[in-house]
Amino acid sequence: MDIYGTRLGSRLMLGTSLYPSPQVLSDAVKAAGVSVVTVSLRRESGAARDGQAFWSLIRDLGVRVLPNTAGCHSAREAVTTAQMAREVFATDWIKLEVVRDAETLQPDVFGLVEAARILVADGFKVLPYTVEDLSVADRLVEAGCRVLMPWGAPIGSGLGLNNRYGLRQLRAYFPELTLIVDAGLGLPSHAAAAMELGYDGVLLNTAVARAGDPAAMAQAFAQAIEAGRLAYLADPMDPRDMAAPSTPTFGQAMLGGGE
């Protein structure tokens, strides 16, 4: 998977919140074999001692950090958070989140586009968390985004891909863009379905962090993503409404009644 010219070894990205312990998080990241984890600035700096311990854990994992602007409700707040994250994490990558309300955590598309324009102009490589809408996606591309992260379903819901038609349209409309399904996946089969649509990767958190065995679930998601990608590249058959025999009838003995 390519992110702004950087080639990554894994198509799965993991969030780092909600895990029952730092060791469980570490085990899950290693089991998944991910190249990138997302980190919230709020999580890092919530308490000086806890933040330092968490940052040390992330560094020890040897993976790339993608800071996010989780919890921001305006373009101004998201821009300020991104600029702070660049200083803390020493990266110009930012997962841009601007949400409308705390109930749905649906992206505020107006604030998102505004913040994306400002951050791109400021030298950031922006990965916006967005909806599966062509007009919004087009505005983000015009703003300079070369990666889009449409949601599968509301964050933490585990519902899977709520709008496969919309996701399929995005893939068809932006064939050269890196597209990553972000949020709402609950099962490895959901991730495989996203990859079968031709998506480049998947980002998830809750489905792994809240599993009974996070490391095993992380590994299951990683394998499902590889299977889905391979299926997409294999050019799967088109669905049909009627049955089609898998055994040819030509050359078979035909039974008929005698005189």
Side-chain angles (χ1 to χ4, degrees), residues 130-176:
T130 183
V131 292
E132 71 292 6
D133 182 274
L134 282 177
S135 61
V136 176
D138 213 26
R139 296 293 186 273
L140 289 168
V141 172
E142 288 176 355
C145 299
R146 297 295 172 260
V147 178
L148 299 180
M149 306 181 78
W151 66 349
I155 293 173
S157 66
L159 292 172
L161 306 183
N162 275 357
N163 184 3
R164 295 195 186 199
Y165 172 77
L167 291 171
R168 187 180 293 111
Q169 273 204 323
L170 274 185
R171 178 72 285 174
Y173 195 80
F174 299 104
E176 303 302 324

Side-chain angles (χ1 to χ4, degrees), residues 160-161 164 167-168 181 185 187-199 202 224-225 227-229:
L161 306 183
R164 295 195 186 199
L167 291 171
R168 187 180 293 111
V181 171
L185 306 188
L187 294 170
S189 57
H190 299 157
M195 301 306 294
E196 288 167 5
L197 291 176
Y199 275 69
V202 167
I225 287 169
R229 179 64 178 177

Side-chain angles (χ1 to χ4, degrees), residues 69 78-80 82-83 86 94 96 114-126:
T69 62
V79 168
T80 300
Q83 291 169 339
R86 180 165 58 183
I94 192 72
L96 179 61
E114 179 185 351
R117 287 199 181 103
I118 295 170
L119 290 172
V120 169
D122 193 26
F124 282 89
K125 295 178 174 63
V126 179

Side-chain angles (χ1 to χ4, degrees), residues 45 100 104 146 209 225:
S45 58
R100 180 60 181 172
T104 66
R146 297 295 172 260
I225 287 169

